[in-house]
């Protein structure tokens, strides 16, 4: 157990990035399928793009305040602009496999069954696209958006007072 704890602590930034990514992946899926099966049935790439945009906004907040909270080196407005630029590139990388699946390989109804279309959409858009976008974002965020390690002070959690020490003597 000690080895695993040390490994997780030494890769804390990556673990936090992955957790934020997991939350945003679930959010992307929920928004994507809500749009795709309601108002954007004929536009799956648009539905995915909107879903990724919503998740990107959530991702910026969680990334800057939690995943990369001790990294920085840029003013917040510059950091945010770079984050959204990189996320826009990532959005394109994310949508590319879905667009290829749908429009190059023609894996859509009526050329294939609805089940085949949805399986191809999930594999190309949600799995392959997300992996491409995630690898690019991890590299680009560390390189350009949050380039300096320990640029922001690490805040310590307040500890609870020891119940065995009277509070007038604790200080």
């Amino acid at each position: 157990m000690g080895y695993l704890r040390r490994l997780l602590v030494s890769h804390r930034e990556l673990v936090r990035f992955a957790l934020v990514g997991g939350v945003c992946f679930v959010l992307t899926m929920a928004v994507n399928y809500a749009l795709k099966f309601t108002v954007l049935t004929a536009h799956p790439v648009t539905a995915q793009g909107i879903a990724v945009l919503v998740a990107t906004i959530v991702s910026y907040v969680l990334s800057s305040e939690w995943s990369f909270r001790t990294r920085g080196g840029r003013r917040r407005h510059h950091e945010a602009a770079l984050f959204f630029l990189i996320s826009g590139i990532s959005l394109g990388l994310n949508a590319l496999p879905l667009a290829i699946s749908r429009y190059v390989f023609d894996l859509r109804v009526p050329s294939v069954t609805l089940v085949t279309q949805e399986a191809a959409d999930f594999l190309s858009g949600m799995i392959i696209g997300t992996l491409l976008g995630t690898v690019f974002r991890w590299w680009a965020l560390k390189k350009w958006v949050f380039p300096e390690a320990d640029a922001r002070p690490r805040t310590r959690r307040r500890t609870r007072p020891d119940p065995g020490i009277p509070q007038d003597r604790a200080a």
Side-chain angles (χ1 to χ4, degrees):
M1 191 65 178
Y3 173 75
L4 180 61
R5 186 179 183 333
R6 280 194 310 275
L7 184 67
L8 291 174
V9 168
S10 68
H11 292 59
R12 170 184 356 199
E13 210 169 65
L14 180 59
V15 170
R16 288 179 177 174
F17 177 80
L19 288 171
V20 168
V23 167
C24 291
F25 178 77
V26 170
L27 179 62
T28 301
M29 280 188 18
V31 173
N32 179 45
Y33 286 112
L35 292 172
K36 186 175 171 180
F37 293 132
T38 58
V39 296
L40 292 173
T41 55
H43 305 284
V45 176
T46 303
Q48 185 182 20
I50 292 169
V52 170
L53 181 62
V54 169
T56 298
I57 293 167
V58 171
S59 177
Y60 173 69
V61 173
L62 293 175
S63 292
S64 66
E65 298 300 321
W66 191 56
S67 296
F68 298 109
R69 77 170 186 261
T70 62
R71 294 183 74 88
R74 305 198 182 284
R75 293 183 179 181
R76 286 290 181 158
H77 68 279
H78 189 225
E79 177 185 278
L82 284 172
F83 185 94
F84 285 103
L85 174 67
I86 286 168
S87 294
I89 295 167
S90 180
L91 186 140
L93 287 171
N94 195 296
L96 185 62
L98 176 60
I100 291 169
S101 173
R102 277 283 180 123
Y103 306 119
V104 174
F105 296 138
D106 202 29
L107 295 174
R108 58 187 164 157
V109 172
S111 299
V112 296
T113 67
L114 181 61
V115 172
T116 301
Q117 171 186 289
E118 294 309 313
D121 283 0
F122 184 78
L123 179 64
S124 62
M126 298 307 294
I127 303 298
I128 296 171
T130 299
L131 285 173
L132 279 174
T134 299
V135 168
F136 171 74
R137 284 183 65 228
W138 171 251
W139 171 77
L141 290 178
K142 287 189 71 162
K143 181 157 181 71
W144 290 306
V145 179
F146 307 108
E148 295 177 23
D150 298 321
R152 296 181 192 144
R154 183 173 284 162
T155 56
R156 298 269 185 218
R157 283 188 249 164
R158 287 195 296 166
T159 58
R160 288 186 222 141
D162 186 347
I165 301 174
Q167 291 306 303
D168 59 331
R169 290 191 204 168

